[in-house]
Amino acid sequence: MSKKKIFIIALVLIITVGAVVGGIFIDNQTKKEDALKNEIAEVNKLLLSENRDENKVNELLERTISDGEYAKVEKAAKKYLKDSITSLDDLLDLLKDEKITNMLSIDNYKKDGPEFNDSLSYLNTYRKKLNTVSNSFLWFVDREKINEYIKNQNLNEENEKLLRELLVTEEGLDEEYASIVESVEMVKDLLNKEESVLKFLKENKNDWVIKKKKMMFSTDKLLKKYQELINEV
Protein backbone atom coordinates (compact mmCIF):
# COMPACT_ATOMS: atom_id res chain seq x y z
CA MET A 1 0.00 0.00 0.00
CA SER A 2 1.58 3.27 -1.05
CA LYS A 3 2.18 5.83 1.71
CA LYS A 4 0.94 8.59 -0.59
CA LYS A 5 -2.44 6.92 -1.04
CA ILE A 6 -2.74 6.28 2.69
CA PHE A 7 -1.94 9.95 3.39
CA ILE A 8 -4.64 11.09 0.95
CA ILE A 9 -7.21 8.76 2.50
CA ALA A 10 -6.30 9.92 6.00
CA LEU A 11 -6.56 13.55 4.92
CA VAL A 12 -10.03 12.92 3.47
CA LEU A 13 -11.13 11.41 6.77
CA ILE A 14 -9.81 14.37 8.77
CA ILE A 15 -11.47 16.90 6.48
CA THR A 16 -14.73 14.95 6.54
CA VAL A 17 -14.96 14.69 10.29
CA GLY A 18 -14.13 18.37 10.42
CA ALA A 19 -17.15 19.08 8.26
CA VAL A 20 -19.32 16.84 10.42
CA VAL A 21 -18.43 18.19 13.86
CA GLY A 22 -17.45 21.68 12.84
CA GLY A 23 -20.78 23.12 11.78
CA ILE A 24 -21.36 25.33 14.78
CA PHE A 25 -22.76 28.83 14.45
CA ILE A 26 -23.00 31.72 16.87
CA ASP A 27 -26.12 33.90 17.13
CA ASN A 28 -27.44 36.52 19.53
CA GLN A 29 -29.47 34.38 21.89
CA THR A 30 -28.83 34.17 25.63
CA LYS A 31 -25.34 34.79 27.00
CA LYS A 32 -25.24 31.28 28.46
CA GLU A 33 -26.09 29.73 25.13
CA ASP A 34 -23.56 31.90 23.31
CA ALA A 35 -20.89 30.97 25.86
CA LEU A 36 -21.64 27.27 25.35
CA LYS A 37 -21.49 27.56 21.56
CA ASN A 38 -18.20 29.44 21.79
CA GLU A 39 -16.83 26.73 24.11
CA ILE A 40 -17.70 23.90 21.72
CA ALA A 41 -16.43 25.90 18.75
CA GLU A 42 -13.09 26.29 20.55
CA VAL A 43 -12.96 22.55 21.25
CA ASN A 44 -13.59 21.83 17.57
CA LYS A 45 -10.90 24.26 16.52
CA LEU A 46 -8.34 22.58 18.77
CA LEU A 47 -9.40 19.05 17.84
CA LEU A 48 -9.00 19.68 14.14
CA SER A 49 -5.80 21.72 14.26
CA GLU A 50 -2.77 20.29 12.46
CA ASN A 51 -0.67 20.18 15.64
CA ARG A 52 -3.24 19.30 18.25
CA ASP A 53 -2.45 20.34 21.82
CA GLU A 54 -3.75 17.26 23.67
CA ASN A 55 -3.39 18.87 27.09
CA LYS A 56 -5.44 21.89 26.08
CA VAL A 57 -8.03 19.71 24.37
CA ASN A 58 -8.41 17.52 27.44
CA GLU A 59 -8.62 20.59 29.66
CA LEU A 60 -11.57 21.92 27.66
CA LEU A 61 -13.28 18.54 27.32
CA GLU A 62 -13.09 17.77 31.04
CA ARG A 63 -14.33 21.13 32.30
CA THR A 64 -17.93 22.38 32.41
CA ILE A 65 -18.51 26.11 32.06
CA SER A 66 -22.32 25.94 32.01
CA ASP A 67 -24.89 25.29 34.72
CA GLY A 68 -28.40 23.89 34.91
CA GLU A 69 -29.81 22.44 31.70
CA TYR A 70 -26.99 24.00 29.67
CA ALA A 71 -24.51 21.93 31.67
CA LYS A 72 -26.30 18.77 30.53
CA VAL A 73 -26.05 19.93 26.92
CA GLU A 74 -22.38 20.82 27.29
CA LYS A 75 -21.44 17.49 28.87
CA ALA A 76 -23.34 15.55 26.21
CA ALA A 77 -21.73 17.52 23.37
CA LYS A 78 -18.23 17.15 24.80
CA LYS A 79 -18.63 13.43 25.39
CA TYR A 80 -19.74 13.00 21.80
CA LEU A 81 -16.81 15.04 20.48
CA LYS A 82 -14.30 13.28 22.72
CA ASP A 83 -15.50 9.83 21.73
CA SER A 84 -15.74 10.68 18.03
CA ILE A 85 -12.18 12.04 17.88
CA THR A 86 -10.88 9.04 19.83
CA SER A 87 -12.54 6.79 17.30
CA LEU A 88 -11.12 8.81 14.41
CA ASP A 89 -7.63 8.66 15.93
CA ASP A 90 -7.95 4.87 16.21
CA LEU A 91 -8.74 4.73 12.51
CA LEU A 92 -5.91 7.08 11.54
CA ASP A 93 -3.46 5.13 13.71
CA LEU A 94 -4.47 1.99 11.85
CA LEU A 95 -3.62 3.69 8.56
CA LYS A 96 -0.12 4.45 9.86
CA ASP A 97 0.74 0.78 10.19
CA GLU A 98 4.26 0.52 8.75
CA LYS A 99 3.92 -3.20 8.12
CA ILE A 100 0.99 -2.55 5.80
CA THR A 101 2.65 0.30 3.93
CA ASN A 102 5.79 -1.82 3.44
CA MET A 103 4.01 -5.04 2.57
CA LEU A 104 5.17 -4.97 -1.05
CA SER A 105 8.73 -3.89 -0.35
CA ILE A 106 11.78 -5.89 -1.38
CA ASP A 107 12.70 -6.22 2.29
CA ASN A 108 9.40 -7.91 3.05
CA TYR A 109 9.77 -10.17 0.00
CA LYS A 110 13.13 -11.32 1.34
CA LYS A 111 11.86 -11.73 4.89
CA ASP A 112 8.55 -13.51 4.26
CA GLY A 113 8.80 -14.87 0.71
CA PRO A 114 8.21 -16.97 -1.18
CA GLU A 115 5.22 -18.33 0.79
CA PHE A 116 4.21 -15.02 2.44
CA ASN A 117 2.23 -16.83 5.12
CA ASP A 118 2.87 -14.17 7.77
CA SER A 119 2.06 -11.32 5.38
CA LEU A 120 -1.18 -12.86 4.11
CA SER A 121 -2.26 -13.66 7.65
CA TYR A 122 -1.46 -10.09 8.74
CA LEU A 123 -3.50 -8.65 5.88
CA ASN A 124 -6.47 -10.76 6.89
CA THR A 125 -6.20 -9.69 10.53
CA TYR A 126 -5.73 -6.05 9.53
CA ARG A 127 -8.82 -6.20 7.31
CA LYS A 128 -10.96 -7.47 10.19
CA LYS A 129 -9.61 -4.78 12.50
CA LEU A 130 -10.28 -2.12 9.87
CA ASN A 131 -13.90 -3.25 9.66
CA THR A 132 -14.30 -3.03 13.43
CA VAL A 133 -12.58 0.35 13.83
CA SER A 134 -14.22 1.97 10.80
CA ASN A 135 -17.70 0.79 11.85
CA SER A 136 -17.07 2.27 15.28
CA PHE A 137 -16.13 5.62 13.75
CA LEU A 138 -19.05 5.61 11.32
CA TRP A 139 -21.39 5.47 14.31
CA PHE A 140 -20.50 9.11 15.00
CA VAL A 141 -21.54 10.32 11.54
CA ASP A 142 -24.64 8.18 11.15
CA ARG A 143 -27.75 10.39 11.13
CA GLU A 144 -29.86 7.78 12.93
CA LYS A 145 -27.22 7.10 15.60
CA ILE A 146 -26.63 10.79 16.27
CA ASN A 147 -30.33 11.42 16.74
CA GLU A 148 -30.54 8.36 18.98
CA TYR A 149 -27.66 9.69 21.08
CA ILE A 150 -29.35 13.09 21.39
CA LYS A 151 -32.70 11.53 22.38
CA ASN A 152 -30.99 9.49 25.09
CA GLN A 153 -29.76 12.64 26.88
CA ASN A 154 -33.24 13.30 28.34
CA LEU A 155 -33.25 16.99 27.44
CA ASN A 156 -36.23 19.23 26.85
CA GLU A 157 -37.12 20.02 23.25
CA GLU A 158 -35.28 23.35 23.19
CA ASN A 159 -32.02 21.96 24.54
CA GLU A 160 -32.30 18.88 22.39
CA LYS A 161 -32.35 21.21 19.40
CA LEU A 162 -29.34 23.09 20.80
CA LEU A 163 -27.37 19.86 21.23
CA ARG A 164 -28.12 18.91 17.65
CA GLU A 165 -26.80 22.31 16.49
CA LEU A 166 -23.62 21.80 18.51
CA LEU A 167 -22.94 18.32 17.23
CA VAL A 168 -23.67 18.43 13.54
CA THR A 169 -25.13 20.37 10.66
CA GLU A 170 -27.91 18.25 9.23
CA GLU A 171 -27.34 19.55 5.72
CA GLY A 172 -24.85 17.36 3.92
CA LEU A 173 -24.59 14.77 6.69
CA ASP A 174 -25.48 11.89 4.40
CA GLU A 175 -22.84 13.05 1.92
CA GLU A 176 -20.20 13.16 4.66
CA TYR A 177 -21.14 9.65 5.78
CA ALA A 178 -20.85 8.41 2.20
CA SER A 179 -17.45 10.11 1.85
CA ILE A 180 -16.07 8.28 4.88
CA VAL A 181 -17.46 4.96 3.66
CA GLU A 182 -15.79 5.59 0.30
CA SER A 183 -12.45 6.35 1.99
CA VAL A 184 -12.59 3.14 4.01
CA GLU A 185 -13.49 1.17 0.90
CA MET A 186 -10.42 2.62 -0.80
CA VAL A 187 -8.26 1.18 1.97
CA LYS A 188 -9.96 -2.20 1.67
CA ASP A 189 -9.38 -2.12 -2.07
CA LEU A 190 -5.68 -1.43 -1.51
CA LEU A 191 -5.49 -4.38 0.89
CA ASN A 192 -7.08 -6.63 -1.71
CA LYS A 193 -4.59 -5.50 -4.33
CA GLU A 194 -1.66 -6.11 -2.00
CA GLU A 195 -3.03 -9.55 -1.31
CA SER A 196 -3.29 -10.23 -5.05
CA VAL A 197 0.39 -9.39 -5.52
CA LEU A 198 1.50 -11.64 -2.67
CA LYS A 199 -0.67 -14.53 -3.84
CA PHE A 200 0.72 -14.15 -7.35
CA LEU A 201 4.27 -14.34 -6.01
CA LYS A 202 3.38 -17.32 -3.86
CA GLU A 203 1.76 -19.18 -6.75
CA ASN A 204 4.84 -18.53 -8.87
CA LYS A 205 7.41 -18.94 -6.11
CA ASN A 206 9.80 -20.95 -8.30
CA ASP A 207 9.81 -18.38 -11.08
CA TRP A 208 11.20 -15.27 -9.41
CA VAL A 209 14.30 -14.18 -7.55
CA ILE A 210 15.61 -10.94 -6.13
CA LYS A 211 18.84 -9.59 -7.61
CA LYS A 212 20.30 -6.26 -6.53
CA LYS A 213 16.98 -5.33 -4.92
CA LYS A 214 15.10 -5.95 -8.15
CA MET A 215 12.50 -8.59 -8.97
CA MET A 216 13.59 -10.98 -11.72
CA PHE A 217 11.14 -13.42 -13.34
CA SER A 218 11.74 -16.52 -15.43
CA THR A 219 9.48 -15.25 -18.25
CA ASP A 220 8.48 -11.88 -19.66
CA LYS A 221 4.84 -12.89 -19.25
CA LEU A 222 5.21 -13.25 -15.49
CA LEU A 223 7.17 -10.01 -15.23
CA LYS A 224 4.46 -8.18 -17.15
CA LYS A 225 1.74 -9.62 -14.92
CA TYR A 226 3.65 -8.62 -11.78
CA GLN A 227 4.11 -5.08 -13.07
CA GLU A 228 0.41 -4.84 -13.87
CA LEU A 229 -0.53 -5.91 -10.34
CA ILE A 230 1.96 -3.53 -8.77
CA ASN A 231 0.76 -0.61 -10.89
CA GLU A 232 -2.76 -1.11 -9.57
CA VAL A 233 -1.70 -0.69 -5.96
Side-chain angles (χ1 to χ4, degrees):
M1 187 186 304
S2 72
K3 292 184 180 180
K4 182 178 180 181
K5 286 185 177 179
I6 285 295
F7 173 77
I8 292 173
I9 293 169
L11 184 61
V12 169
L13 287 171
I14 293 172
I15 292 173
T16 301
V17 78
V20 171
V21 302
I24 296 170
F25 61 88
I26 306 297
D27 55 26
N28 293 316
Q29 295 184 29
T30 67
K31 289 183 178 180
K32 288 185 177 181
E33 187 170 317
D34 285 348
L36 174 54
K37 289 180 178 180
N38 277 309
E39 175 79 356
I40 300 302
E42 181 62 22
V43 172
N44 277 329
K45 181 180 178 181
L46 290 172
L47 285 173
L48 301 172
S49 61
E50 185 175 352
N51 297 309
R52 191 192 309 168
D53 185 337
E54 296 291 349
N55 291 330
K56 183 63 176 178
V57 169
N58 290 331
E59 178 186 335
L60 293 185
L61 287 175
E62 295 301 325
R63 76 182 186 183
T64 305
I65 66 166
S66 309
D67 54 25
E69 288 296 310
Y70 283 116
K72 293 181 181 179
V73 176
E74 180 181 352
K75 290 177 181 179
K78 286 184 174 179
K79 183 180 187 307
Y80 174 91
L81 291 174
K82 183 177 182 179
D83 291 346
S84 66
I85 294 300
T86 296
S87 185
L88 172 63
D89 286 344
D90 288 343
L91 182 54
L92 294 177
D93 285 342
L94 195 60
L95 297 181
K96 296 175 184 176
D97 190 320
E98 289 290 334
K99 191 165 183 176
I100 291 296
T101 56
N102 294 316
M103 191 64 70
L104 302 184
S105 66
I106 293 297
D107 287 341
N108 190 55
Y109 289 172
K110 289 180 178 180
K111 179 181 179 181
D112 197 33
E115 297 292 339
F116 297 104
N117 292 326
D118 289 344
S119 296
L120 291 170
S121 175
Y122 195 85
L123 282 173
N124 186 50
T125 300
Y126 184 94
R127 187 182 288 109
K128 291 178 180 178
K129 188 174 182 180
L130 176 63
N131 285 333
T132 299
V133 174
S134 61
N135 287 338
S136 175
F137 175 61
L138 284 168
W139 187 95
F140 293 97
V141 288
D142 183 296
R143 182 186 298 275
E144 182 177 338
K145 297 298 183 182
I146 293 173
N147 286 324
E148 180 183 328
Y149 174 82
I150 292 172
K151 288 289 185 182
N152 288 338
Q153 304 310 307
N154 297 317
L155 301 168
N156 60 38
E157 184 176 348
E158 181 179 350
N159 286 321
E160 190 174 287
K161 179 182 178 182
L162 174 59
L163 179 58
R164 183 172 287 104
E165 292 173 359
L166 294 174
L167 293 184
V168 65
T169 46
E170 290 287 324
E171 184 179 356
L173 180 59
D174 294 334
E175 289 80 1
E176 304 298 349
Y177 182 91
S179 177
I180 294 171
V181 170
E182 183 180 2
S183 297
V184 173
E185 289 303 316
M186 286 173 64
V187 179
K188 292 179 181 179
D189 182 57
L190 286 169
L191 294 176
N192 292 336
K193 289 174 178 176
E194 283 190 339
E195 186 176 62
S196 294
V197 173
L198 296 179
K199 285 184 174 180
F200 168 79
L201 293 175
K202 182 174 183 176
E203 291 167 0
N204 298 280
K205 60 185 178 181
N206 296 321
D207 292 294
W208 60 270
V209 294
I210 299 172
K211 291 184 178 180
K212 296 182 179 180
K213 295 188 176 182
K214 290 186 178 181
M215 295 293 289
M216 308 291 290
F217 288 84
S218 60
T219 68
D220 289 340
K221 182 178 180 180
L222 289 174
L223 174 60
K224 183 178 180 181
K225 179 61 177 178
Y226 172 74
Q227 291 174 335
E228 289 175 352
L229 291 172
I230 286 294
N231 288 336
E232 291 180 359
V233 177

